[in-house]
Amino acid sequence: MPALSSQGIAKATVINAVSRALSGFLKLFVIILIAKDFGAGLIVDAYMVAKSVPMLFFVVGEATFVTSFLPVFINYRVKEGEKQAWLLADSVFSFLLIFLTAMVAFVVFFAPGLTSVLAPGLPEETLSLGVSLLRMMSPVIVLAGASSMAASIFHSYRNFTVPAVASVLFPLGMIVAIWLLGDAIGIYAIPLGAVAGAIAQAGITIVVLGKTKRWFRPILDFRCPGLVETVMSTVPRLLTLMANRVNIMVDRIFASALGGGYIAALSYADRVVQISVVLFTSAFVNAAMPVLSKSGAASDFDQVRRLFYKMTGCLFLVTIPASVILLLFGQTIINLLLQRGAFDVHAGQLTSCAMMFYGIGLLPFSLTMLLGVFFYALSDSITPMKAAFICFLLNIGLDALLVRVLELGGLALTTSLVAVFSTVFLFWFLNKKIGPLDLRRIVVSLAKVLVAACLMGVVMWGVMVHFEGSNGHPGSLVQFGVVLCLGFVSYAGSCYLLKVNEYLVIVEAVRRRLQSADHR
C-alpha cells in the first residue's frame, strides 16, 4: 500500500474540513433553533443532560474506531489480504452491534438513575423530562457505532468523501424535526430528529460501502487474532475518551447546582466553541491517521517528527486567531447567533461568559486531540489513558474550587486549564518516546502566529470601535462580517510578512493550483 503523501493528507483534510464545516454549520443552526424556540431554561437543561449519554457513545465510538480498528484493518489488508481483512471486519462489526445493543438496554432501564446522577440539582419534574428524552435518544448509541465502523473502513481505502457527506445527515435530521414538529411536540422533536438523522447517516454509509466494496456479514469469530487485538487496544482508548467526556458531565453536575438554565448556557457555549475549530482538528487528524499509523508501525521516528511539526503548525494557524476572536467578541457572537426568541439577555450573558473562558483553552484542547493520535499511532494507548484519568481528578478539584469564585465561568475555565495540563503532560512523554523534538522550532512557529493573531485582534477592535464608538459592540451581522473580513485580511498579511511556514505552504499550493487551472 503506497504511502499517503503530504498532498494526499492535504486533499483528505480539505474533504473532511469542508464536510465538517457544513456539518458544523448545521449543528450551529440546530443550536440557534433550540435557543430561539426553547431559550436556556429548565427544559433545555433536561435535553442537555439527556443527550450527554448517547453523545458520549457517538463521539467515543467515532474516535475510538477510527484510531483503534483502522490500523489493525490496514495491517490485515497488507499482510493477510483482503479476504482475511474483511472477515476481521465482520467479526468486529458483529461484536460492536451486540455490545452497543446491550448498552442501549442498560441506558433505557437505568435512565432515571443516570439523569439523577448527571444533574442532581434539577427539580424532579425536569429530571422526569430528561428520562423520557434519554430513552428516546438511546438508539443513537447503536447507530453511531455502526456508522463509525463503516467510516473507518472507508478511511482505510482513503475514501473520505462518503463518511464526510453522510455526517451531514445527523444534524440535518434534527433541523428538519425541529422545523416540522417543534410547535406540535416541543422539545421531543429534537431526539426524534437525532434518531432519524443517525439512521440516515448509518444507512447511507453502510449501503454505499456494501455496494462499492462489500457488505458486512453476521460473523463473530472470537478466535480471530485481529478481533482480540482491536478489543484490547480499544479498551484503554475507550477509557481515555470516556474520561474526557465524563469531565463534561461533571461540569454539568456542578452547573445544575447553580440554578435553572446554567446547564443550557454552559452547553451552548461549549457547542459554539467546539464547532468553531475542533471540527477542523478532527478532520485534520482523521486525514493524517493512515500515514501516521504506517510511520509509527515502521518506527520511522524522523517521519513522525516531521508530521508533528507540520500538524502542530497548522493547528497554531487556525486555533490561535479563533481564540483571539472568541476572547474579544464572545458577547457579540452570542448576541448575533442566539439572542432571539426565548433566549433572553441573562442567558446571553451566561453563555458569553462561559465561551470566553472556553476560548482560552482552544489551542491546548486541539493539541491534546492531536497528541493522543500520535501515541495511538505508536501503539501506546496507556500514556493518553494516564493523562485522561489525572485530568479527570484535576477537573473535579478545579470545578469545586473555581465554581465558588467564578460560578459558570469557573467551570469553563477549569476545562481550559485541564487541557493545558494534558497538553504539557502528553508533549513531555511524546518527546521522550520519539526522540528530542525541536522545541525552538515549535516555539518560533507559535510566536509568529501569536503575533499575527494579536495584530489581527488590534485591527478588528479598531474597526469595531469605528462602527460603534467606545462600547465595542457592532450592532449588525453585516458590520461584524466586515470586522471579520478585515481581520482575516490583516492576519493573512501578517502571516506572510512574518513568513509563517504553514501559511506560505498553503499560498504556494493555491498558486500552483491556479497555474495548473490556467494551463488547462
Side-chain angles (χ1 to χ4, degrees):
M1 185 184 300
L4 189 63
S5 64
S6 296
Q7 291 179 338
I9 294 176
K11 181 179 178 181
T13 301
V14 169
I15 293 173
N16 272 281
V18 169
S19 66
R20 286 175 182 268
L22 178 57
S23 177
F25 172 78
L26 293 176
K27 289 176 180 177
L28 181 61
F29 194 58
V30 170
I31 293 296
I32 292 173
L33 288 177
I34 293 174
K36 173 181 174 295
D37 292 349
F38 307 108
L42 289 171
I43 291 178
V44 179
D45 284 351
Y47 164 69
M48 294 300 180
V49 170
K51 83 162 190 172
S52 61
V53 176
M55 287 301 102
L56 170 66
F57 286 92
F58 195 96
V59 174
V60 168
E62 179 182 22
T64 299
F65 273 91
V66 169
T67 58
S68 182
F69 170 73
L70 178 60
V72 180
F73 185 73
I74 290 175
N75 188 53
Y76 257 66
R77 286 179 57 207
V78 172
K79 296 182 178 180
E80 306 292 337
E82 291 286 326
K83 182 178 180 180
Q84 292 300 316
W86 275 97
L87 289 175
L88 164 67
D90 291 334
S91 289
V92 173
F93 187 71
S94 300
F95 177 84
L96 180 66
L97 289 186
I98 294 172
F99 174 76
L100 292 181
T101 301
M103 290 298 98
V104 170
F106 174 85
V107 168
V108 170
F109 187 78
F110 291 103
L114 288 172
T115 53
S116 297
V117 169
L118 293 175
L122 294 182
E124 188 64 33
E125 183 179 352
T126 304
L127 291 175
S128 297
L129 175 60
V131 170
S132 300
L133 296 174
L134 174 55
R135 285 172 171 162
M136 290 177 66
M137 292 189 69
S138 60
V140 172
I141 296 173
V142 174
L143 297 167
S147 60
S148 298
M149 177 73 185
S152 66
I153 294 179
F154 272 116
H155 291 166
S156 75
Y157 288 99
R158 301 173 188 171
N159 184 335
F160 300 92
T161 305
V162 174
V165 172
S167 67
V168 173
L169 298 175
F170 181 69
L172 191 60
M174 288 190 283
I175 291 173
V176 173
I178 295 172
W179 213 307
L180 296 179
L181 302 174
D183 291 338
I185 61 175
I187 197 74
Y188 292 103
I190 305 176
L192 284 178
V195 172
I199 290 174
Q201 180 178 351
I204 292 291
T205 310
I206 293 173
V207 169
V208 174
L209 180 64
K211 289 184 176 295
T212 57
K213 295 296 180 183
R214 179 180 170 282
W215 292 95
F216 287 117
R217 297 170 184 169
I219 299 173
L220 180 55
D221 183 5
F222 286 106
R223 297 170 298 176
C224 177
L227 174 61
V228 176
E229 182 181 354
T230 300
V231 172
M232 294 303 293
S233 61
T234 296
V235 170
R237 300 178 190 191
L238 188 64
L239 292 174
T240 300
L241 289 167
M242 288 188 72
N244 291 331
R245 295 298 299 181
V246 167
N247 285 341
I248 298 175
M249 296 180 178
V250 171
D251 293 344
R252 290 175 179 173
I253 290 173
F254 280 97
S256 71
L258 295 175
Y262 279 82
I263 292 178
L266 191 68
S267 301
Y268 284 137
D270 176 63
R271 290 309 303 156
V272 172
V273 171
Q274 293 286 322
I275 289 169
S276 62
V277 168
V278 175
L279 288 174
F280 168 83
T281 305
S282 180
F284 190 51
V285 167
N286 286 343
M289 188 63 191
V291 66
L292 186 57
S293 296
K294 184 175 182 180
S295 300
S299 297
D300 186 357
F301 291 155
D302 289 337
Q303 173 69 355
V304 171
R305 284 192 291 269
R306 284 193 293 269
L307 285 170
F308 181 78
Y309 297 138
K310 291 178 181 179
M311 296 173 79
T312 52
C314 288
L315 287 187
F316 293 160
L317 196 64
V318 175
T319 55
I320 292 177
S323 291
V324 171
I325 292 172
L326 290 176
L327 289 172
L328 290 178
F329 307 111
Q331 181 70 60
T332 300
I333 292 170
I334 294 300
N335 288 345
L336 293 175
L337 288 178
L338 305 180
Q339 199 77 56
R340 59 181 59 83
F343 194 89
D344 57 24
V345 174
H346 178 63
Q349 292 172 342
L350 289 177
T351 305
S352 61
C353 174
M355 194 171 74
M356 180 184 70
F357 287 109
Y358 276 137
I360 297 172
L362 207 55
L363 176 59
F365 186 78
S366 297
L367 286 174
T368 295
M369 290 177 60
L370 179 63
L371 287 163
V373 170
F374 271 83
F375 279 103
Y376 297 144
L378 296 168
S379 300
D380 179 2
S381 55
I382 301 301
T383 302
M385 184 176 69
K386 291 179 180 177
F389 278 95
I390 294 173
C391 288
F392 170 71
L393 297 175
L394 184 62
N395 186 79
I396 295 175
L398 288 177
D399 269 349
L401 176 65
L402 295 179
V403 74
R404 299 172 183 270
V405 181
L406 299 172
E407 294 191 339
L408 197 67
L411 300 178
L413 179 59
T414 290
T415 300
S416 295
L417 294 177
V418 168
V420 171
F421 171 82
S422 180
T423 298
V424 173
F425 183 95
L426 292 174
F427 179 84
W428 174 269
F429 283 96
L430 183 66
N431 185 64
K432 294 174 65 176
K433 194 173 189 68
I434 66 174
L437 291 164
D438 189 347
L439 186 59
R440 181 180 180 278
R441 177 176 177 175
I442 297 171
V443 171
V444 169
S445 175
L446 174 63
K448 287 182 178 180
V449 174
L450 188 59
V451 170
C454 288
L455 291 174
M456 176 200 73
V458 171
V459 170
M460 294 178 70
W461 187 262
V463 176
M464 182 180 68
V465 170
H466 173 74
F467 279 134
E468 291 293 322
S470 60
N471 62 1
H473 292 292
S476 72
L477 185 61
V478 173
Q479 289 178 339
F480 189 61
V482 172
V483 171
L484 286 176
C485 289
L486 292 177
F488 289 147
V489 170
S490 66
Y491 180 63
S494 299
C495 287
Y496 184 81
L497 293 175
L498 292 169
K499 297 182 179 180
V500 177
N501 183 63
E502 289 71 26
Y503 176 77
L504 296 178
V505 169
I506 294 173
V507 171
E508 180 63 19
V510 172
R511 186 185 66 81
R512 290 181 179 178
R513 177 70 66 178
L514 292 175
Q515 286 181 342
S516 176
D518 289 340
H519 289 155
R520 294 175 186 173

